[in-house]
Amino acid sequence: LGSAFHHAQHSLHELEDQAEEVHHAHERELGLLFDESLSLRAEMDYESTHLELDNRRMRDDLAAYVVMREQNSKLKDTLERMHEGAIATEKSHQEELEELRHSVTVIKDKLHKEFRARLHKLSGEMSEAIGGGASGEKAPQNQAHNAKKEKETESHIKVIMDKYSELE
């Protein structure tokens, strides 16, 4: 009996040792699973933080895009108004230019007529002056007077021709 008791005790110790080894193996596995769980949680926290930061950046980018879009819209409206103003100004300048061209043409025609009238008048006066000397009255005085008149007429014609050239 003693040997059976001893053998039973030895079997009990072996079973306790095996149970303890299994228990330690389970503790190690639980420790590894816990460490793995902590590691996964840390990775998930990192990913979550990273995603939150990406979302904030995207929201900021979206807000910046909205502001730029509003500014672009305002700039576009301003440019359209400026363009319309430039077109209106160009149109009024064209109208003023046409009025000035017409006015210059009218004045030029008027000056041409005036020039021709004065030239015709001077030609007539010159002809009278020369014709008056041919009548035989006071020929020496008339010739001197006619020469003087002719020089005056020539100087008048020269002045008129210079003004005409200037106006051209």
Side-chain angles (χ1 to χ4, degrees):
L1 222 17
S3 139
F5 177 72
H6 187 47
H7 185 43
Q9 264 188 340
H10 184 35
S11 289
L12 180 66
H13 280 304
E14 280 183 15
L15 286 175
E16 283 178 352
D17 285 343
Q18 283 179 354
E20 200 172 308
E21 281 181 26
V22 168
H23 180 68
H24 287 307
H26 284 292
E27 282 181 353
R28 281 191 303 267
E29 273 187 46
L30 283 175
L32 287 174
L33 287 175
F34 182 74
D35 288 345
E36 223 176 271
S37 169
L38 287 177
S39 175
L40 283 174
R41 182 175 175 104
E43 283 181 28
M44 292 177 104
D45 286 345
Y46 171 79
E47 286 294 322
S48 172
T49 304
H50 186 63
L51 287 174
E52 284 177 19
L53 291 174
D54 281 348
N55 283 341
R56 284 183 192 163
R57 183 186 50 80
M58 286 181 177
R59 277 189 231 118
D60 291 345
D61 288 348
L62 184 61
Y65 173 75
V66 168
V67 169
M68 285 189 323
R69 190 171 180 184
E70 288 173 3
Q71 288 175 344
N72 284 344
S73 176
K74 288 177 184 177
L75 285 173
K76 183 180 176 184
D77 292 343
T78 303
L79 283 175
E80 285 176 0
R81 283 193 304 271
M82 288 175 68
H83 182 68
E84 290 169 359
I87 289 173
T89 303
E90 183 180 347
K91 186 177 178 182
S92 71
H93 286 177
Q94 283 289 65
E95 290 171 357
E96 288 174 10
L97 183 64
E98 286 302 317
E99 287 176 21
L100 286 173
R101 282 183 183 158
H102 178 71
S103 176
V104 166
T105 304
V106 168
I107 291 171
K108 184 179 173 184
D109 290 343
K110 181 181 172 186
L111 289 174
H112 275 277
K113 287 178 184 176
E114 188 178 314
F115 171 74
R116 287 191 179 118
R118 283 187 182 179
L119 192 59
H120 185 65
K121 181 181 174 187
L122 286 175
S123 296
E125 288 175 3
M126 204 166 142
S127 294
E128 280 182 25
I130 293 173
S135 65
E137 305 172 0
K138 301 179 186 176
Q141 281 183 340
N142 262 349
Q143 283 182 345
H145 182 65
N146 286 343
K148 184 179 173 185
K149 279 278 199 185
E150 191 175 328
K151 282 185 181 182
E152 283 178 18
T153 306
E154 284 178 14
S155 85
H156 286 299
I157 289 174
K158 186 175 184 314
V159 167
I160 291 173
M161 289 302 286
D162 288 343
K163 284 191 178 191
Y164 182 74
S165 296
E166 235 179 77
L167 292 173
E168 283 286 310

